[in-house]
Structures are given as C-alpha cells and as structure tokens.
Amino acid sequence: MDGLDRREATTLRVYSAVTVLATALWWAGLAASDTVRRVTIGSAIGPDGFGVLLLADVLSAGVLPVMVLFARSKALLSFLLAAHFGGQAYAWLVSIGCAVHDPAAYPGLVAMTLSAGAAFAFALRTSGVSVLWGPFRFGTAASSDPGTNWRRTVAQTAGMWAVFLVAVPGAVVVLESVFRWRQPWSPAPAVDVLAGLAFIAAGATGLWAGKRFCVDGDGTPLPSDGTRRLVVSGPYRYIRNPMALFGILQGVCIGVVLRSPLVVTYAVVGGVWWDVLARPLEERYLADTFGDDYGEYRDRVRCWIPHLSALRARSLREGPKCGR
C-alpha cells in the first residue's frame, strides 16, 4: 500500500477484515434474533423494513473494505477509504436517529461511533491533509529552563485534562441523559475503586513523563514546545508513548465511573486517532531529528506494550525524545 509503512498497512488490513466480519455477523444476527435488531436499530425500522439498509451496508462496509485489502496505489486507496468513511458516517447518523427514536438502540450508536471514528482516521491518514496545526506543529521549546518548562507542562496538562477528561465526557453524559440513553449499570463497588486508583496512577505517570521532558530534554510534552535533548528516562525506559497510553486509560476510567459506554468508546477512538494520525508523523519527525539514535531506541522499546526485557532493564543508553 503506497504511502503507508509496513505497520500501518498491517493495521489497515486488520481493520478492514474486522469491519467485513463484524458487518457479516451483524446481518446474521439481525436475521436470527429480534434482540440484535432491538439493541442496534430499535423500533425506528420495523422487522420488515431493515432490509432497505442491506445494499448500502454491503457496499460501504463489505465491498469497499475488501477492495482496500487489495488496493496498491495511493490514489485508489485514498478514494476507497474516503468512500468507506462516507458510508460509515452516514450509518453513524442513522444510528443516532435510531437511538433518539428508541433509546433501546443506544448500543448500536456506541458500536457505530467506534466504527465511524476508526474509518475517519484511516480516510484522513491517506488523504494527504495535514493534521499538524497550531500547538501540534513540531518545534522546539523557547526556554531550556526546567522550572519554566515544568510550569508550562502543568498548564498544558491541566488544559488538556479540562477539555478531554472533563468537558467532552461531561457533554456526552448530558446527551445520554437528555435522550434517555443511560442504561442501568451497577458494577461492584470494587470496580469504581479500581477505576479511581487507575485514574490517579495514570495521571501521575503522565506527569512523571512530562517532568522527564522538562528535566532531561529541556522542553515540554507539547509538540510545538518540544525537547532539545533526547529523553529515555522515567516511563520512557519501558514504553515509547506513556502520555498517550495513560491519557486513554484515564478516559476509560472516567467512562466506567460515569457508567457511560459512549465515553469509554470516545477514549478508545482517541487512541485509534493517535495511533493512525499522530504516531506516523511524530515518528518521522523524531527519526529526521535524531537519526540512528531514534531508530535504535524504537527497535528496543515498544510503542504500546513494554517488552519484559525492558521492564527488567535498569537503564537505557541516552536516546531520542520518544513518542508520547
């Protein structure tokens, strides 16, 4: 697949295969079970009417993903993914309408949010549209003073948390309440305790990672305020993007505490967007900036899941600023 590296091409193939399989299973479920119809499209479309969706769904979520598996040229791949996203986006809007008409169809909205969110990421990745703007453009911090950079890091983190961990989940919960999408969900009290502890631990680890940027890298975690020096200390010894990983974990924990599957899905989609859209650009920037040192670091430390050998290691040779 032109324009994508080997890892990205594999990820896209897996996504396409899962989409085709999930679509086939959904239609089989519709044919075999009234429960599947009730929790995915509700009563907005009667048992004798959902067949009107078949042709569009087979094309956008069946034929197009299969064609993606065999596409070779960048132009064709971009067209197929854009068309696929158009279909998934329309299906997502239909799922909203179904859930508004009948709250029982809320699980279908959750599923389509995940599907359309992933489709959007892949379509945007191959479109050639730049996602680097404003504070997300790569640059170097104006100051090398650790104290100044730490204050900026705390302010940046507080702003990110306010938007992505407070405002967006809060808005989602309000919508769920307005449209009566909130479902009875009473997990054991221990689940809330574990979610709360995981949230605190994830936040603390994210701040720890940011501190290493300030002290060891003469910069901040914000791309436009990036480090001058290489950072592989702290959590970066074990994983290349702890700030993204633990930010996603925080979002999942908030969704659990708020009893909101849609907030959990929002956090997962955020992880997909980071991996598909931000990660390739950041890794290319780091490779251009730090050369072979970054290549060596990338080969030794995984992006999302640490090697056991990395967990046992006490230190790594100084290397490049790693992906967040």
Side-chain angles (χ1 to χ4, degrees):
M1 294 181 177
D2 290 345
L4 302 178
D5 63 28
R6 185 174 181 179
R7 180 196 65 82
E8 291 179 283
T10 299
T11 302
L12 178 55
R13 290 190 180 98
V14 170
Y15 164 77
S16 300
V18 169
T19 297
V20 173
L21 178 61
T23 301
L25 290 175
W26 181 61
W27 277 100
L30 285 179
S33 171
D34 288 338
T35 300
V36 173
R37 179 182 60 80
R38 185 171 62 255
V39 301
T40 55
I41 59 178
S43 59
I45 303 175
D48 298 327
F50 62 75
V52 299
L53 304 173
L54 180 60
L55 178 60
D57 211 38
V58 167
L59 176 61
S60 66
V63 174
L64 290 177
V66 169
M67 293 178 68
V68 166
L69 291 172
F70 298 98
R72 292 294 178 267
S73 75
K74 183 178 180 180
L76 177 60
L77 186 63
S78 179
F79 171 77
L80 292 174
L81 288 172
H84 169 63
F85 167 63
Q88 295 302 90
Y90 185 78
W92 177 65
L93 293 175
V94 170
S95 73
I96 294 176
C98 290
V100 169
H101 178 82
D102 183 356
Y106 171 71
L109 170 59
V110 173
M112 279 311 307
T113 298
L114 177 60
S115 179
F120 173 73
F122 285 110
L124 194 60
R125 173 69 184 91
T126 57
S127 69
V129 175
S130 175
V131 298
L132 300 178
W133 49 271
F136 300 104
R137 291 179 179 174
F138 295 116
T140 303
S143 172
S144 61
D145 176 61
T148 299
N149 287 329
W150 176 238
R151 288 189 292 271
R152 292 176 63 84
T153 296
V154 171
Q156 294 163 10
T157 302
M160 293 288 187
W161 286 1
V163 173
F164 296 110
L165 299 181
V166 177
V168 175
V172 170
V173 170
V174 169
L175 288 175
E176 288 176 327
S177 299
V178 168
F179 293 110
R180 297 178 291 116
W181 293 337
R182 297 185 65 75
Q183 305 292 321
W185 180 19
S186 301
V191 173
D192 283 341
V193 173
L194 290 175
L197 292 175
F199 180 89
I200 294 171
T205 304
L207 287 172
W208 178 28
K211 186 71 172 180
R212 298 333 311 160
F213 273 33
C214 302
V215 175
D216 299 335
D218 294 339
T220 79
L222 197 67
S224 60
D225 256 352
T227 61
R228 289 178 168 80
R229 295 188 292 121
L230 311 169
V231 177
V232 295
S233 57
Y236 290 100
R237 293 180 180 180
Y238 315 111
I239 193 167
R240 295 208 310 271
N241 63 324
M243 301 190 79
L245 175 63
F246 289 109
I248 295 164
L249 177 58
Q250 285 180 291
V252 171
C253 291
I254 288 175
V256 170
V257 172
L258 295 177
R259 311 288 192 267
S260 173
L262 200 54
V263 170
V264 173
T265 302
Y266 148 75
V268 174
V269 169
V272 173
W273 286 0
W274 191 94
D275 191 71
V276 173
L277 295 174
R279 177 182 172 183
L281 300 177
E282 183 175 58
E283 291 187 345
R284 187 178 304 127
Y285 168 77
L286 295 173
D288 291 343
T289 303
F290 300 112
D292 292 339
D293 284 341
Y294 177 72
E296 179 184 343
Y297 173 75
R298 184 182 54 205
D299 292 342
R300 295 182 63 181
V301 179
R302 288 177 175 173
C303 184
W304 294 106
I305 303 173
H307 286 288
L308 293 178
S309 58
L311 289 173
R312 290 194 295 265
R314 291 187 176 183
S315 64
L316 286 174
R317 184 176 64 83
E318 283 296 303
K321 182 187 84 170
C322 50
R324 288 171 288 278

